[in-house]
Amino acid sequence: MVELEKLLRRRKHRVLRLTYRYLSGRPLSGRDGYPYRRRGAGRLAGWQRQVYRLGVPATAGAVAVFPDQALTAAAAIAVGAAWRGRRRLVQRRFHREYIAPTLAAITPPLGLQTGVRLHVDPSLGNLTPRLAKPLSPAEEAARAWYGQHVEPVLRWLPERAQRGLWALQRRARPVTSRLEVFRRPGEEVGPRIELLIDTPYVTKEQRQLVSSIVGSKIPVADLVEAWHQVGPRVRARWTVRKRPPAIVGHDQVLAHFPRLAEWEFYIGQGAGDVPIVISLRDDSPHIAESAGSGAGKSVLAMLIAVQVLARGGRVVILDRKGSHRWALGQPGVDYCSRPAQMHDALLREAAEADERNTLALHEEDDWDPGPRTLIICEELNATIGMLANYWADVREKGDPKRSPAISALGDLLFMGRAAKKNVLAIAQMLTARAIGGPEARENFGIRCLARYTSNAWKMLVPEASMPRASRTLGRWQVVIGGQATEVQVAYLTTAQARALATSPSDLDNGLSRDVPGDGDMMTLKDAIDAGVLPWKYEAAKKRMQRRVGRVPAARGKRGGADLYARVDLVEWTSEARISIPPGAGGLRT
């Protein structure tokens, strides 16, 4: 009797165990080792086994009780299964072409047989389009018919549901925005290649080999690599490099410039649309630009120069070929286009810098020596040669053989920080000979490169890793302290640069103008460029000479040009439009 009770009790416990294992998705044999969430080698995961065991009887019961509704549900399930099956086929092909061969190449060098997992985002580059096979004419016709007739019907309900969800999100925004303060920021990764290795450490040689294998087997260009070896596992991640915006212009300059200190200069936008600012006090007192012809060297120099002028500073331009026509006639600009003018300007600036440094010895540390002076040396490779040739022609007996102007330029490079004398050197290839020696070139702590070659990069910034040169116009690499930052330099037209340089009050107030010349005072040319006057320049001058309409009176001078009030010019224009037929006297129609 006792033995019979033990047998029944044992069978009862066995039935309970089997029932528990069946309902929980565990193997009926009682052997564990396969996790609930992940699949084992060639077997189902626990949750998948659980779905099958509970879903099949439930489905059979529903079909027996509700046959009509079950048929509809079966059709929907069949459509979903077909879609999922097609997706699985695409994923299997992607895994077979990219992930499996890469893992097979990575695993042996690491000395591991298992414990290496690789994730590759299909949206990277053109990985998925590479797998597409060319279609036959019949397949193209079938896909076209499907896209015109079937897909709009299938997408109608999901699109309406998505629009409804967006509407609910907009209505709930006042409430959800208040809850943002409790949300912890998550890691924003985006499309990536991620490698997980079940080992605590990977050597430098192994990392280089793995990077080479990944770059060869997964053809995606311009990725940023990061290795994390803290913890029991090693993780490597390759993400898409963030790029600056394609166009940066006048509006961004107006938005950022008024917020800067006197020694800070806005030059453009970086990755993630972050403003890039350089400091002539903290980063370096001197700037070097090296780029090929047409890369925008003069545009970057102009952008910095107009900010100096807007703050009441001075600009000295050594330019033989006339790259800075915007500066002609500008107040505060000394434009030197002849070797003799360049020679005298460099001597004058070096003497003033020496005087300022002498006075600074007896002043406080934060003593201001006066307005900042920016010396722009255009095409320095040719300028140094012209200065040397000029000195060889005018040098008299007893004078030093070395050009005093070249020596003065070297003095400015060595003592310009405290004297607020800053040199901006521009050259296609900024060699040591072009700047007066290797020790002089080392004073350029801010180095800007565009359309560079490997030789130019290694010569100027060998301490920084060289990124691929961009073909986007205005895209520069700004290297400070061995760190290269990609920047889209802000572009200003000639008229915009002149207006910014001469209207600092508008900048201080943060006023934005779509076109320059919208200030209170302007010349006739400024008014025509800004669209205030509808005539050509010669036609406007003739109207003034003939006293057509209420001709505005000059309110001042800018160089040799008369300045007029904007209000007077607008009134004169409106009066002329009424009194003179369209098309007469040079009026634009």
Side-chain angles (χ1 to χ4, degrees):
M1 189 67 180
V2 175
E3 296 295 334
L4 180 61
E5 290 179 357
K6 291 182 179 180
L7 179 62
L8 293 176
R9 193 180 300 116
R10 192 179 300 116
R11 288 182 177 179
K12 179 180 178 181
H13 288 303
R14 185 177 301 170
V15 171
L16 291 176
R17 288 195 192 98
L18 290 175
T19 304
Y20 166 72
R21 291 170 184 169
Y22 182 87
L23 295 177
S24 62
R26 301 173 70 87
L28 296 178
S29 62
R31 295 179 181 177
D32 296 327
Y34 293 100
Y36 181 79
R37 299 180 61 185
R38 289 190 294 117
R39 297 183 62 178
R43 302 203 179 186
L44 297 176
W47 69 269
Q48 292 174 326
R49 195 182 294 112
Q50 189 178 27
V51 168
Y52 288 132
R53 290 175 180 175
L54 300 180
V56 171
T59 303
V63 169
V65 178
F66 307 102
D68 296 336
Q69 292 83 350
L71 183 62
T72 304
I77 293 174
V79 172
W83 176 81
R84 183 174 177 83
R86 180 180 179 277
R87 185 179 178 185
R88 288 294 299 272
L89 288 176
V90 174
Q91 290 177 345
R92 287 174 64 89
R93 188 179 178 194
F94 187 88
H95 185 278
R96 184 175 64 251
E97 293 292 332
Y98 295 116
I99 298 179
T102 307
L103 285 175
I106 289 176
T107 304
L110 294 176
L112 301 172
Q113 299 301 322
T114 59
V116 182
R117 294 184 295 278
L118 179 65
H119 166 79
V120 181
D121 200 307
S123 62
L124 283 171
N126 60 346
L127 293 180
T128 302
R130 280 173 175 263
L131 301 180
K133 297 179 179 179
L135 301 178
S136 66
E139 289 175 323
E140 292 181 355
R143 287 179 178 268
W145 182 87
Y146 176 86
Q148 294 175 2
H149 299 88
V150 178
E151 189 168 357
V153 177
L154 297 178
R155 298 181 68 90
W156 184 86
L157 184 59
E159 288 180 355
R160 295 303 184 276
Q162 185 65 55
R163 291 178 184 177
L165 179 60
W166 288 339
L168 290 176
Q169 289 176 347
R170 286 194 298 268
R171 289 183 177 276
R173 182 67 63 184
V175 178
T176 56
S177 61
R178 296 177 181 272
L179 300 177
E180 292 290 338
V181 67
F182 299 104
R183 181 176 297 175
R184 293 181 178 179
E187 186 180 12
E188 297 183 3
V189 179
R192 69 194 186 279
I193 301 172
E194 191 168 71
L195 179 67
L196 292 176
I197 308 172
D198 290 339
T199 184
Y201 180 72
V202 176
T203 65
K204 181 179 179 181
E205 292 75 14
Q206 289 176 324
R207 294 198 301 269
Q208 292 176 348
L209 180 58
V210 168
S211 300
S212 176
I213 293 172
V214 170
S216 301
K217 303 295 289 183
I218 305 176
V220 179
D222 209 14
L223 294 177
V224 179
E225 178 182 344
W227 286 81
H228 305 273
Q229 303 207 67
V230 178
R233 294 187 302 176
V234 175
R235 184 183 68 186
R237 181 179 290 167
W238 292 263
T239 55
V240 179
R241 184 186 301 275
K242 294 182 179 180
R243 287 301 182 88
I247 300 175
V248 179
H250 182 246
D251 293 339
Q252 285 90 337
V253 178
L254 291 177
H256 296 291
F257 175 71
R259 310 170 187 170
L260 304 179
E262 187 273 338
W263 55 86
E264 294 178 331
F265 296 86
Y266 170 78
I267 60 173
Q269 299 292 113
D273 206 17
V274 176
I276 303 300
V277 176
I278 60 176
S279 172
L280 295 183
R281 187 181 71 174
D282 302 329
D283 297 330
S284 170
H286 307 298
I287 306 171
E289 293 184 21
S290 177
S293 179
K297 299 187 294 293
S298 300
V299 171
L300 177 55
M302 176 182 67
L303 178 62
I304 298 174
V306 297
Q307 297 179 64
V308 172
L309 294 173
R311 292 171 176 148
R314 295 176 52 250
V315 175
V316 178
I317 302 178
L318 314 182
D319 179 24
R320 185 67 184 88
K321 65 177 186 177
S323 300
H324 296 273
R325 297 183 182 180
W326 66 270
L328 294 174
Q330 285 291 108
V333 176
D334 185 6
Y335 206 119
C336 306
S337 58
R338 300 292 179 183
Q341 297 172 331
M342 300 178 189
H343 180 93
D344 296 339
L346 287 174
L347 294 180
R348 182 174 61 252
E349 296 302 325
E352 185 176 353
D354 183 65
E355 181 181 356
R356 288 184 174 185
N357 282 330
T358 302
L359 295 175
L361 293 175
H362 309 285
E363 301 291 345
E364 299 293 335
D365 292 338
D366 58 349
W367 175 68
D368 187 0
R372 185 176 301 277
T373 303
L374 179 68
I375 300 100
I376 300 177
C377 303
E378 272 281 356
E379 296 298 342
L380 204 56
N381 301 86
T383 301
I384 292 294
M386 287 190 295
L387 291 173
N389 294 335
Y390 169 77
W391 180 245
D393 293 338
V394 302
R395 184 174 70 89
E396 297 181 356
K397 188 176 181 180
D399 291 337
K401 292 184 178 181
R402 180 180 170 87
S403 168
I406 298 177
S407 300
L409 178 60
D411 294 340
L412 287 170
L413 293 176
F414 283 103
M415 62 180 180
R417 185 187 297 270
K420 293 176 70 173
K421 299 285 184 178
N422 308 111
V423 177
L424 197 160
I426 303 174
Q428 292 190 17
M429 182 69 74
L430 194 61
T431 61
R433 177 180 175 275
I435 199 60
E439 65 281 354
R441 192 175 63 183
E442 290 303 314
N443 288 284
F444 293 98
I446 302 174
R447 304 187 180 189
C448 309
L449 298 92
R451 292 187 183 175
Y452 44 82
T453 63
S454 178
N455 290 335
W457 186 275
K458 291 178 181 178
M459 179 187 66
L460 280 180
V461 284
E463 70 279 7
S465 58
M466 187 184 79
R468 187 177 62 178
S470 174
R471 295 184 180 180
T472 303
L473 186 62
R475 188 66 53 84
W476 288 74
Q477 294 288 344
V478 179
V479 183
I480 302 174
Q483 181 67 38
T485 303
E486 191 175 27
V487 183
Q488 181 66 32
V489 170
Y491 174 76
L492 298 177
T493 64
T494 297
Q496 288 172 345
R498 293 176 66 89
L500 291 179
T502 55
S503 303
S505 59
D506 290 341
L507 285 173
D508 295 335
N509 295 330
L511 301 179
S512 176
R513 300 189 302 268
D514 293 334
V515 291
D518 287 352
D520 292 335
M521 306 297 292
M522 58 180 64
T523 65
L524 283 181
K525 289 185 177 180
D526 290 340
I528 293 169
D529 291 337
V532 176
L533 294 180
W535 312 298
K536 296 181 180 179
Y537 178 68
E538 295 298 331
K541 288 180 61 177
K542 287 183 179 179
R543 287 178 180 278
M544 281 194 167
Q545 294 171 359
R546 296 172 183 174
R547 312 299 297 177
V548 177
R550 190 179 301 174
V551 177
R555 302 289 187 92
K557 287 277 189 181
R558 182 194 294 167
D562 293 329
L563 286 173
Y564 301 92
R566 176 186 173 88
V567 177
D568 296 343
L569 293 172
V570 172
E571 184 178 354
W572 179 42
T573 303
S574 59
E575 194 176 85
R577 286 184 183 275
I578 296 174
S579 59
I580 298 178
L587 187 66
R588 294 180 184 175
T589 57

